[in-house]
Amino acid sequence: SDMPVLMDANRASPSAGAGDKPANLGDVEMKMGQQNSSPMQYSSRSPVMNVPSPSDNAELPARQEASPKEAHKNSHGKMPRGHRNSDAHVRRVDLAAIVTPQDVDEPKDPYARIARFLYKDYYVPPNAIKTEIVAGLIVGLAVVPEAIAFALVVGIPPQWGVDTTLITSLVVGIFGGRPGLCNGASGAVAVVIVDIVQDPNAGVAYMGYTVILAGLFCCVFGVLRLANYMTLISSSVMVGFVNALAIIIGCAQVKAFKADNIIQTGAARSNSTGVPNRRLLSSFDVFVDGEAWVDSEVACWMLTEVAIVMLTMGLLPLIKHEKLKWIHNIPSSLIGILLATAFEHGIVRTIGNTQTTTIGDIGKMEGGLPKLLWDRGYDLPPLNLDTFQKILPCASTLAAVALIEQMMTLQLVDAMTRTVGQANREGVGLGLGNVVAGLFGGMGGNAMIGQSVICIKTGGFRRLSNIVTGLTVLCITAGLFKVVNLMPSAAFVGMMWMICYYTFEWNSFRLLFHACHNEKSRAV
C-alpha cells in the first residue's frame, strides 16, 4: 500500500496479496534501532547488503577478509554455541567489493570517477535482471488503483493521479538515494494538497505551483543535509501521524456515496461553510454538508462491491495451499477491483437493471502521455507575490509531510535489506520528482511504504525495478485506460477502507488505556 503502513522485514502490505499483515510502529522502530545504534548514519559509500545465496561467490573479489565469526571458527575449529545457526543463510558482502575491488584506488580523472559512480549505482548483474523486471511489474500493477483512489480523494481526474505516479516513479527512482523505494501519489500528499484544491480563494489551478514549490523545499532539505534532524521526531508523533491519516482518508471515501460526485476541475471545490478545510473536524463535514445521498438501491449495490474488494484483500492472503501460492504474486487489491468490475457489469447492470458510478462517470481517463501544466485546460494564475502567499502554507506542509514519510520508508527499507541508504540524496530526488510532477500538473507524491515492501520482498533491490514500475504505469495509462473507466468507484472505496484499517495503529488504544489509568488498575 502507498499508505504509511508500518511493517517489518517479514511482513507485506495488504494490497500485495502476500498474506502477511503489517506490524505496529514499535516493531519497526525496534528493528531499526537494533540495526543502527546511532541515529540515521547515512553514507555515500556503497552499502553492506545481504547476499542470500552462496552461488554469488563467483562475483566476489579474489581477496576478501574473513568475518569475525569465520575467523573465530577457523581458530577454534567450530563456532561457539552462541553463534550457531545465527545468520546461517546470510553472508554479509560489501557491494563496493563486488563491483570494484577495495584495493583499487579512487581514480583521479573526473570522467573516470563519474563512470565508476554510474557503474556502482546503476549496474544490474545479468542474473538479477529478470527478478528486477518481475518486481517492477508487480508493483506497477499495484500502484495504479491507489493512484486513482488518491486522485479521487483530492477531487481531481484520476488521470492526473496516475500521471503523478508515473513521473515520480521514474524521476525519484533514477535520482534518489534509495534503490527499490517505490514513489507515487500517496495518501499523505492527498490529505494536504486537497486544501489548495478546495480553497475557494485558490482552486486546482494553484495545485501545480504548490507541488513545484514543495519540491524545491525538498531539494533544499537534501542540499543542506538536514536528514539527520528527522530523527528528532518521536514515535508518538509518528503514531498520531498515521492514525490521523487513516481517519482522514477513510472519511473522504464517504463522498463516493453522494449523488453529485462528478469532479469539477475548472474551479475550487469548497465545503458547505465556504471556507478552506484546514480546520478542526473538517474531515467529518461529508456527513453533515447537506448534499443528497444516492438512493437506497444503488447504495446497497455499492456496499456489495465494497464488501467484495475488502473480503478479497482480507481473505486472499490467507491462502496457503502449495499449488495456489502463485496467486500471491498478484496484488490482492487488483484482483478485488476486477471482481467488483465483473460484478458491476455482469449482475448490477443486467439483473439489477441499475448502475453505480464508475471511474469514467467521475473523471474519464483519456490515456496518452502526461500533459504539461499549461495544457491542463484551466487558466494559470500569474506568478506574483499574491500567488506565492496563497501556495506557501500548503507547499511547506506538503514538503514536510512528504519528507517525513520518505525518511520513514527509507529507514524501513534499510532495516529490511540491512543496507544504508543516502537520505540527503533521497530528499533531493524527491524534490526533483515533485518539481517535474508539478510541471505536468500532478498532485505530488512521495514514498509508498506498502509498495516499497512489495518491491523488496519480490527482489527489487536496484533502480531497474523502479524504472520498470514507471514504464508499467505508462503502459496501463496508455493502453488500458478504457478498462479503468469501466471500474466502479465503490471498488476503490473498499480498497481504501482496507488500507486505512491496516494503516491505523490499533495498538495505540492499549497504550492510551495504560496511560490514563493508575498503576493499580493497570495490574488488574
Side-chain angles (χ1 to χ4, degrees):
S1 158
D2 68 315
M3 302 281 295
V5 183
L6 301 172
M7 339 176 190
D8 60 16
N10 298 319
R11 308 194 179 193
S13 166
S15 62
D20 300 320
K21 295 182 178 180
N24 55 41
L25 181 64
D27 296 337
V28 176
E29 290 186 339
M30 180 183 67
K31 290 181 179 294
M32 291 188 291
Q34 291 174 351
Q35 180 190 354
N36 299 322
S37 57
S38 59
M40 297 183 69
Q41 297 180 356
Y42 297 94
S43 172
S44 59
R45 299 184 180 273
S46 182
V48 175
M49 182 178 179
N50 293 329
V51 180
S53 173
S55 62
D56 294 336
N57 291 343
E59 301 180 8
L60 298 178
R63 295 189 306 168
Q64 188 174 20
E65 297 181 0
S67 64
K69 291 184 181 180
E70 292 175 345
H72 194 77
K73 178 179 179 181
N74 294 335
S75 61
H76 292 80
K78 63 179 181 178
M79 191 74 72
R81 182 177 300 273
H83 289 280
R84 293 179 185 176
N85 300 326
S86 176
D87 295 336
H89 64 291
V90 173
R91 296 191 63 188
R92 294 182 66 80
V93 179
D94 190 349
L95 292 184
I98 294 178
V99 179
T100 54
Q102 292 179 343
D103 56 350
V104 177
D105 294 333
E106 187 75 22
K108 297 181 179 180
D109 184 10
Y111 295 102
R113 290 185 179 184
I114 294 175
R116 185 181 181 186
F117 166 77
L118 295 176
Y119 183 72
K120 292 197 305 181
D121 208 46
Y122 297 96
Y123 173 74
V124 180
N127 61 348
I129 293 178
K130 180 180 178 181
T131 304
E132 296 288 331
I133 292 176
V134 171
L137 288 173
I138 293 174
V139 175
L141 293 174
V143 297
V144 172
E146 295 188 11
I148 295 173
F150 290 129
L152 298 179
V153 171
V154 178
I156 59 177
Q159 183 72 54
W160 299 6
V162 176
D163 291 345
T164 301
T165 298
L166 165 63
I167 294 170
T168 52
S169 294
L170 292 174
V171 177
V172 185
I174 293 174
F175 298 104
R178 173 72 265 179
L181 207 67
C182 180
N183 292 269
S186 67
V189 169
V191 299
V192 176
I193 200 66
V194 69
D195 286 342
I196 199 72
V197 174
Q198 297 187 0
D199 189 342
N201 298 319
V204 71
Y206 289 79
M207 183 178 68
Y209 290 165
T210 304
V211 174
I212 293 174
L213 183 58
L216 294 177
F217 286 154
C218 294
C219 290
V220 172
F221 173 88
V223 171
L224 297 181
R225 308 182 68 83
L226 300 176
N228 289 343
Y229 291 97
M230 300 298 291
T231 57
L232 299 177
I233 302 176
S234 64
S235 59
S236 58
V237 173
M238 289 294 187
V239 171
F241 174 79
V242 297
N243 286 355
L245 193 63
I247 294 173
I248 294 173
I249 294 296
C251 293
Q253 305 311 307
V254 181
K255 181 68 177 178
F257 293 89
K258 296 289 186 175
D260 184 16
N261 192 28
I262 307 301
I263 293 176
Q264 302 172 359
T265 60
R269 301 178 64 205
S270 61
N271 51 56
S272 59
T273 62
V275 297
N277 278 347
R278 182 60 62 182
R279 56 187 181 79
L280 187 63
L281 302 179
S282 61
S283 300
F284 300 95
D285 285 346
V286 67
F287 298 101
V288 295
D289 57 8
E291 296 183 11
W293 301 87
V294 297
D295 60 73
S296 58
E297 182 181 4
V298 175
C300 289
W301 289 118
M302 292 181 67
L303 290 174
T304 303
E305 293 170 351
V306 169
I308 290 174
V309 177
M310 296 184 70
L311 289 175
T312 302
M313 294 180 64
L315 298 179
L316 197 63
L318 301 179
I319 296 178
K320 302 297 182 182
H321 196 277
E322 192 68 26
K323 294 183 179 180
L324 296 177
K325 281 189 175 181
W326 59 269
I327 204 171
H328 292 165
N329 294 325
I330 306 176
S332 58
S333 58
L334 179 62
I335 296 177
I337 291 174
L338 293 178
L339 290 177
T341 303
F343 179 82
E344 168 71 21
H345 296 277
I347 296 180
V348 177
R349 302 197 177 201
T350 56
I351 300 177
N353 292 325
T354 185
Q355 64 181 26
T356 66
T357 306
T358 63
I359 296 299
D361 298 329
I362 298 176
K364 189 174 183 180
M365 291 188 63
E366 300 176 353
L369 296 175
K371 297 180 181 180
L372 290 170
L373 178 61
W374 46 85
D375 294 331
R376 286 294 185 178
Y378 49 77
D379 296 330
L380 292 175
L383 290 173
N384 52 29
L385 182 60
D386 181 66
T387 300
F388 179 77
Q389 291 175 344
K390 288 182 179 179
I391 66 175
L392 179 60
C394 185
S396 57
T397 304
L398 180 63
V401 169
L403 285 168
I404 289 174
E405 190 167 0
Q406 196 80 12
M407 297 303 140
M408 186 168 60
T409 309
L410 185 142
Q411 281 190 328
L412 177 59
V413 174
D414 282 355
M416 291 178 63
T417 60
R418 299 182 185 180
T419 61
V420 183
Q422 302 176 50
N424 294 305
R425 180 181 171 185
E426 187 66 24
V428 175
L430 175 65
L432 292 176
N434 279 299
V435 168
V436 178
L439 290 174
F440 283 90
M443 57 178 282
N446 60 266
M448 308 165 76
I449 295 184
Q451 307 307 340
S452 299
V453 172
I454 299 174
C455 188
I456 297 299
K457 288 177 71 68
T458 51
F461 297 96
R462 300 170 178 86
R463 300 187 187 277
L464 179 59
S465 60
N466 303 125
I467 296 174
V468 173
T469 297
L471 295 178
T472 302
V473 175
L474 176 61
C475 293
I476 293 175
T477 186
L480 299 177
F481 63 93
K482 293 183 179 180
V483 177
V484 176
N485 288 331
L486 299 176
M487 295 177 177
S489 62
F492 294 90
V493 173
M495 180 190 69
M496 295 307 301
W497 278 348
M498 201 66 180
I499 292 175
C500 291
Y501 168 77
Y502 283 109
T503 300
F504 195 88
E505 281 291 322
W506 299 101
N507 188 47
S508 58
F509 286 112
R510 182 174 62 86
L511 298 176
L512 184 63
F513 173 80
H514 286 293
C516 296
H517 289 74
N518 55 33
E519 193 75 23
K520 185 176 181 180
S521 63
R522 265 185 258 169
V524 175

